[in-house]
Amino acid sequence: MTVISRPDETVVPMVSLRRSQRPVLVPDLPPTVDELLQRVARGDSPAFELLYDEIANSVFGVIRRVLHNPAQSEEVTQEVLIEVWRNATRFDPERGSATSWIHTMAHRRAIDRVRSAQASADRDQRVAMRDHVTPYDDVADQVETHLEHQQVRRCLDSLTELQRESVGLAYYGGHTYREVAELLDVPLGTVKTRLRDGLIRLRDCLGVTR
Amino acid sequence: MTDPEIHLLSGAYAADALPDDERGAFEEHLRDCPTCAHEVRELTETTSRLAIAVSQTAPARLRARVLREIEMVRQEPPTDLPRGLDDGLPAQPWYRQPTGMAASFLLVLSLALAGVAVAANRDADRAEQNAARIAAIATDPDRVTLGERVTTGGTASIVAADGEAIFRADGLTVLPEDRGYQLWVMNEDGARSVGVLGRGTSSHVEAFVTEVASGDRIGLTVEPSEGSESPTTDPVLQIAVSGA
């Protein structure tokens, strides 16, 4: 019996094109995260390095935001980035962007860590998060250069207070919607709908389409 | 889950704010609700922007560590077929089946798989390809059918041909919600995960396994429902692949 192996596409080299054959009018745009991830899926480790540089800061940032503890955040970030390498083959562009796939993985890992910490009765983190009602506070080493950051902040400001608090507590605080309801002292159904219409309003403000 | 308001959970789902049990139920719902799936995709793109907005410079030492680590980590094969399709097929005996019967049951299975995927309105093309591969195994004159008892209850069989196999198990002991049966291909290189089958709540599971060679063993272990990176419990089933 033969072992099925995938055709090794990584050996088809772009560099085999002679310089003069390159289309002159096409500007040398850096590869997108989607393109990089698809190269990574074929075992291309130089592409992974480029991918790392594109996503490590946002992956670390969101994990740190949820977990607070720097050492733990670093550990989870490492796990997630290796997971990206391992599972790049399973990324399906039909289901969303590569960036969103990676951030979902990062956020879920952070959430899993919070929940298992809760389960093992480590309440410190949770107490720290209770103070964390507004989605934006001063994080000294936040990367402020992002236009993205400005835009998201502006769009968050367009939400109602309850929408903003719900989204912030759930996404940045790592709380379940049941916990959010308890923290804000509003009915469960209200939190469900505020999370949904809050994110819908954000989506429209940020011009996200898929 | 028949809660008419379940679609309102799309926001909580995209923010990972559903407790695990509700997350599972909502994912079930997504398979039957293309509109909800579309909304979830958009809202997940939106939460992704919330992640970008809080970017922080990752520690420099992390880069070298991750790049070193990936050199030692094998990438998963790009399979993604059945996660426990409970489609009411008649129970099959676990022992070596008459080959004609195996072929017909697999053809039924392949059609059922294509049907399920179309009904779920996703990955129809891939399902078709997989159905074709399943049919190819079922009709391969050199296929082998092997069966074994599962020590904790139930029976399992594989039909293998040309490096690919269909795994099927029936009468499995239903596991608690937070446990699942995870399928592995094991050889001297270690155990490679095929995936967690059916979230453990179903007694009947099927899976499509790629890159199987003679001498490998197919193993089943009980793991947390999200799966483990390598087996953490003793196998409840092992089938040695031979002859294919």
Side-chain angles (χ1 to χ4, degrees):
Chain A
M1 160 158 95
T2 52
V3 176
I4 303 278
S5 62
R6 282 174 294 129
D8 187 1
E9 292 170 63
T10 56
V11 296
V12 180
M14 296 275 287
V15 284
S16 71
L17 279 178
R18 287 205 319 276
R19 217 166 268 274
S20 61
Q21 288 177 310
R22 299 182 65 177
V24 258
L25 292 177
V26 179
D28 255 349
L29 292 174
T32 64
V33 172
D34 273 86
E35 287 162 356
L36 287 172
L37 188 60
Q38 283 170 29
R39 281 164 58 187
V40 168
R42 302 193 291 261
D44 184 340
S45 41
F48 184 82
E49 271 193 70
L50 297 174
L51 181 69
Y52 181 99
D53 296 335
E54 289 292 322
I55 59 157
N57 291 344
S58 54
V59 166
F60 179 67
V62 72
I63 290 172
R64 177 88 201 270
R65 189 59 174 233
V66 173
L67 292 182
H68 292 252
N69 179 309
Q72 233 181 38
S73 304
E74 191 175 327
E75 190 185 310
V76 175
T77 304
Q78 180 172 344
E79 283 171 21
V80 168
L81 292 167
I82 291 166
E83 205 62 30
V84 168
W85 164 262
R86 192 205 309 276
N87 286 328
T89 46
R90 307 230 160 136
F91 167 66
D92 179 358
E94 296 290 307
R95 296 198 196 166
S97 72
T99 318
S100 152
W101 183 74
I102 292 165
H103 289 143
T104 300
M105 210 186 289
H107 192 259
R108 285 205 180 154
R109 278 291 182 117
I111 295 284
D112 288 347
R113 195 56 84 94
V114 169
R115 293 193 188 159
S116 66
Q118 281 170 351
S120 61
D122 172 8
R123 315 303 288 183
D124 297 355
Q125 214 169 28
R126 188 176 156 86
V127 171
M129 282 192 302
R130 275 184 193 271
D131 305 328
H132 210 67
V133 176
T134 49
Y136 278 91
D137 59 4
D138 295 317
V139 178
D141 53 350
Q142 203 152 278
V143 178
E144 289 282 1
T145 51
H146 273 290
L147 278 175
E148 190 81 33
H149 177 82
Q150 309 294 336
Q151 198 193 359
V152 171
R153 182 196 287 258
R154 189 174 53 75
C155 286
L156 278 169
D157 285 343
S158 76
L159 305 188
T160 68
E161 195 183 341
L162 190 52
Q163 286 174 335
R164 189 166 54 243
E165 285 180 334
S166 303
V167 169
L169 281 169
Y171 191 74
Y172 290 134
H175 292 288
T176 64
Y177 79 94
R178 291 172 185 278
E179 292 167 342
V180 174
E182 203 178 307
L183 289 168
L184 296 177
D185 200 20
V186 291
L188 275 180
T190 309
V191 170
K192 265 192 236 179
T193 47
R194 288 305 85 87
L195 276 174
R196 177 165 178 264
D197 54 38
L199 286 176
I200 287 174
R201 195 185 279 197
L202 259 185
R203 174 197 70 191
D204 295 343
C205 177
L206 291 166
V208 174
T209 50
R210 187 72 202 176
Chain B
M1 169 75 76
T2 50
D3 181 356
E5 299 213 316
I6 191 166
H7 63 273
L8 290 178
L9 289 175
S10 60
Y13 179 79
D16 293 325
L18 291 181
D20 293 346
D21 52 335
E22 291 182 59
R23 184 201 281 183
F26 187 72
E27 282 174 352
E28 292 280 318
H29 172 67
L30 282 182
R31 287 184 210 168
D32 301 327
C33 178
T35 324
C36 309
H38 182 78
E39 182 170 292
V40 160
R41 266 200 300 281
E42 290 190 337
L43 298 187
T44 310
E45 298 291 334
T46 306
T47 54
S48 175
R49 303 284 286 273
L50 290 174
I52 296 171
V54 292
S55 293
Q56 287 184 37
T57 310
R61 60 180 172 271
L62 192 59
R63 191 174 190 276
R65 215 188 301 149
V66 169
L67 295 181
R68 197 170 55 238
E69 186 87 3
I70 63 153
E71 296 302 330
M72 297 180 282
V73 174
R74 186 185 191 283
Q75 291 182 300
E76 295 289 335
T79 51
D80 112 290
L81 229 186
R83 296 186 301 188
L85 297 171
D86 213 346
D87 52 12
L89 286 170
Q92 294 292 323
W94 61 273
Y95 48 80
R96 214 173 274 267
Q97 291 157 337
T99 47
M101 196 177 151
S104 60
F105 122 65
L106 284 165
L107 283 169
V108 170
L109 172 61
S110 68
L111 292 173
L113 291 175
V116 166
V118 170
N121 195 24
R122 57 183 195 131
D123 293 351
D125 284 352
R126 184 173 303 167
E128 233 170 73
Q129 279 174 20
N130 283 325
R133 290 159 83 185
I134 289 168
I137 296 175
T139 52
D140 191 313
D142 295 322
R143 68 186 173 274
V144 291
T145 305
L146 303 158
E148 192 57 80
R149 288 187 185 281
V150 179
T151 57
T152 50
T155 57
S157 63
I158 61 163
V159 180
D162 206 16
E164 298 184 328
I166 296 154
F167 171 87
R168 173 186 172 101
D170 283 294
L172 294 174
T173 303
V174 172
L175 299 172
E177 285 230 331
D178 60 343
R179 290 278 176 271
Y181 289 101
Q182 190 165 2
L183 189 64
W184 308 89
V185 176
M186 301 181 291
N187 53 35
E188 65 275 16
D189 292 334
R192 165 166 62 84
S193 173
V194 177
V196 179
L197 311 175
R199 297 180 74 84
T201 52
S202 167
S203 65
H204 165 88
V205 296
E206 284 153 0
F208 187 52
V209 188
T210 58
E211 296 183 61
V212 191
S214 193
D216 287 353
R217 280 168 301 129
I218 302 282
L220 198 64
T221 60
V222 176
E223 302 291 344
S225 56
E226 69 274 20
S228 300
E229 288 185 4
S230 53
T232 60
T233 58
D234 290 334
V236 294
L237 165 84
Q238 291 194 63
I239 299 176
V241 181
S242 59

